[in-house]
Amino acid sequence: MKAHDDLYIDGAWRPATGRDVIEVVNPADEQVIGRVPAGDAQDVDAAVRAARAALPGWAATPPAERAARLAALRDALAARSDEFTETITAELGSPPEFARAVQAGLPVAVAGSYAELAATHAFEEKVGNSTVLHEPVGVVAAITPWNYPLHQIVAKVAPALAAGCAVVLKPAENTPLTAQLFAEAVHEAGVPAGVFNLVTGLGPVAGQALAEHPGVDLVSFTGSTAVGRRIGAAAGAGVKRVALELGGKSANVILPSADLAKAVNVGVANVMANSGQTCSAWTRMLVHRDQYDEAVTLAAAAAAKYGDRIGPVVSERQRDRVRGYIEKGVAEGARLVAGGPESPCEQGYFVSPTVFADVTPDMTVAQEEIFGPVLCVLPYDDEDDALRIADGTVYGLAGAVWAGDEEEAAAFARRMRTGQVDINGGRFNPLAPFGGYKQSGVGRELGAYGLAEYLQTKSLQF
């Protein structure tokens, strides 16, 4: 794991125009593990110009050849699994087992799915007397977060390349080393120069410059809703297309007929995964009032088992933010049954696995995205009340429903205004659309639905 001192533009590593750097800190021990360039507007302009120059050739490349490059990228990612695991563990603080299985493993499957889609997707179809063409939207600005640094890169770059687009990637400043490793894999896969470009930098500088650049046709951003609004406004000034995957406050609804112990234990595990830094985490557990006390006891016991099993949050700022939410929850009357704001370690940005009981739907901890290992348990009176609470935030990204019968759970899930719902612990499907309702975003990622975000339609009448 060695940081590059340069940016990857037009198929080569080249110096940034300025001398500013970003220090990468290991959140487990607070040590600097690398430094990368802080690219600026001039660097962004160079990358966009390289992408625009490469776009016509890549867009005209037969889908089968694009599929071959994506298959080579999949293989390059798989071959570097150990490097990605080590790097993500170091710069994100992800436990090695989770980093290997999820952080490094899932992107290989996603890249492979787009290699297959590039080869099989109908980029041309007949509709009556028209031929409808599905063409690349153009140059894509991919602005990615730190919580799943490789997965979010692949979820944007792979479908963009499959569609025939050229890409400029601006990764999160907390996890740029993973992005540099990805650029090496792209180079090894034989993707033509300029089709993929990497500019490390700060969001308000490089990210803003990308969103505003007249040479960018689509901005794909994953991150907070607050930043998403700014990205959308910047892109809107140029009438650019946007794909925004934003915040969440997902509800885990446990109906009375469910296996309560299983639903609670899986729900707690879902919140604690990745130290709670998952936008789709089920951070609100809704339990019928008759089962509420038992559920709270089970949740507190389950959370206690994660004390030495989760990693730190990504930064000092994030740790302080999460601890601030915990303090606000106590101040507003929620009852701590596990964890709390006190740091469990003298070194590193750790937060104790925390469970709140006696939470009301209007409390801050029940309305705002905390992005840490914090679970709120709320009671409900009947299914209509549960639905009102589940849908009672500005978000609608994901959720879960548990019941003794799948059809009972599915019937409730169909009523929820959220983008993805797991039924009785249903497995994550990397081919299913991922994205949200309301302020959780615009557009979808993964599978054919993710590919469609990077395509523009044209009709020819005969």
Side-chain angles (χ1 to χ4, degrees):
M1 180 186 62
K2 182 181 182 300
H4 282 276
D5 296 327
D6 300 322
L7 308 173
Y8 185 77
I9 297 176
D10 203 16
W13 295 96
R14 51 172 279 180
T17 56
R19 295 184 178 182
D20 290 345
V21 298
I22 297 169
E23 289 189 338
V24 185
V25 176
N26 184 328
D29 61 16
E30 305 179 41
Q31 300 301 304
V32 175
I33 57 174
R35 293 173 176 83
V36 302
D40 59 18
Q42 292 183 64
D43 299 309
V44 166
D45 183 63
V48 173
R49 289 178 182 275
R52 291 228 70 87
L55 177 63
W58 183 244
T61 299
E65 175 57 24
R66 299 203 296 262
R69 293 307 98 216
L70 283 164
L73 175 58
R74 172 202 61 205
D75 295 344
L77 296 176
R80 288 174 171 266
S81 177
D82 288 345
E83 290 178 86
F84 279 114
T85 299
E86 176 187 355
T87 301
I88 294 170
T89 295
E91 64 180 354
L92 179 61
S94 183
E97 298 83 3
F98 187 82
R100 181 175 300 280
V102 179
Q103 297 278 13
L106 177 59
V108 175
V110 173
S113 74
Y114 281 112
E116 182 175 344
L117 273 168
T120 60
H121 187 78
F123 290 96
E124 184 173 316
E125 59 181 325
K126 293 291 291 184
V127 180
N129 67 307
S130 301
T131 297
V132 178
L133 310 177
H134 301 276
E135 301 180 334
V137 71
V139 171
V140 172
I143 303 175
T144 57
W146 45 260
N147 60 325
Y148 289 89
L150 182 60
H151 169 64
Q152 288 296 159
I153 289 172
V154 172
K156 296 182 188 304
V157 175
L161 297 184
C165 298
V167 181
V168 179
L169 169 66
K170 204 299 286 183
E173 47 263 38
N174 302 90
T175 54
L177 305 182
T178 297
Q180 290 186 338
L181 269 180
F182 178 79
E184 292 178 4
V186 169
H187 193 85
E188 290 172 8
V191 174
V195 172
F196 170 82
N197 306 273
L198 169 66
V199 177
T200 53
L202 301 176
V205 180
Q208 189 76 12
L210 256 181
E212 294 175 347
H213 200 290
V216 168
D217 299 292
L218 180 148
V219 182
S220 180
F221 168 77
T222 296
S224 72
T225 297
V227 176
R229 291 192 192 100
R230 294 199 294 270
I231 294 286
V239 198
K240 297 176 178 36
R241 280 175 53 177
V242 294
L244 304 174
E245 199 270 281
L246 308 175
K249 194 68 181 177
S250 300
N252 179 17
V253 181
I254 304 175
L255 298 178
S257 63
D259 181 334
L260 183 64
K262 180 180 180 180
V264 170
N265 284 325
V266 174
V268 171
N270 175 278
V271 173
M272 300 305 158
N274 208 38
S275 302
Q277 299 168 128
T278 303
C279 55
S280 57
W282 311 332
T283 52
R284 294 179 298 144
M285 181 180 290
L286 278 56
V287 186
H288 192 277
R289 198 171 296 278
D290 292 344
Q291 299 173 312
Y292 184 73
D293 290 342
E294 181 182 0
V296 168
T297 300
L298 288 168
K305 298 176 182 177
Y306 287 88
D308 58 357
R309 291 166 56 185
I310 65 173
V313 294
V314 72
S315 66
E316 181 179 18
R317 177 183 178 185
Q318 184 65 15
R319 180 198 62 191
D320 293 346
R321 179 178 186 272
V322 175
R323 290 169 66 179
Y325 271 111
I326 296 173
E327 291 168 350
K328 181 166 284 190
V330 172
E332 292 184 358
R335 175 167 56 97
L336 276 172
V337 295
E342 298 79 15
S343 178
C345 301
E346 292 184 2
Q347 187 178 47
Y349 309 130
F350 291 88
V351 177
S352 295
T354 297
V355 177
F356 276 117
D358 299 342
V359 178
T360 58
D362 60 332
M363 287 182 179
T364 302
V365 292
Q367 286 291 319
E368 297 184 12
E369 185 176 45
I370 298 173
F371 227 59
V374 181
L375 170 66
C376 297
V377 188
L378 296 89
Y380 66 84
D381 295 317
D382 53 31
E383 286 196 13
D384 288 342
D385 189 37
L387 183 66
R388 176 186 63 81
I389 296 170
D391 287 346
T393 75
V394 298
Y395 300 111
L397 184 56
V401 183
W402 300 79
D405 177 73
E406 284 188 356
E407 290 304 315
E408 179 189 0
F412 187 94
R414 290 174 187 275
R415 299 171 66 194
M416 297 172 70
R417 288 187 55 76
T418 193
Q420 189 173 66
V421 186
D422 294 349
I423 305 297
N424 286 348
R427 292 185 298 112
F428 180 76
N429 180 2
L431 299 180
F434 183 85
Y437 286 43
K438 300 186 284 185
Q439 292 187 28
S440 284
V442 177
R444 294 294 182 267
E445 291 189 326
L446 302 179
Y449 307 89
L451 178 62
E453 296 292 332
Y454 299 93
L455 294 171
Q456 185 64 278
T457 54
K458 175 193 293 180
S459 63
L460 309 179
Q461 282 61 251
F462 292 89

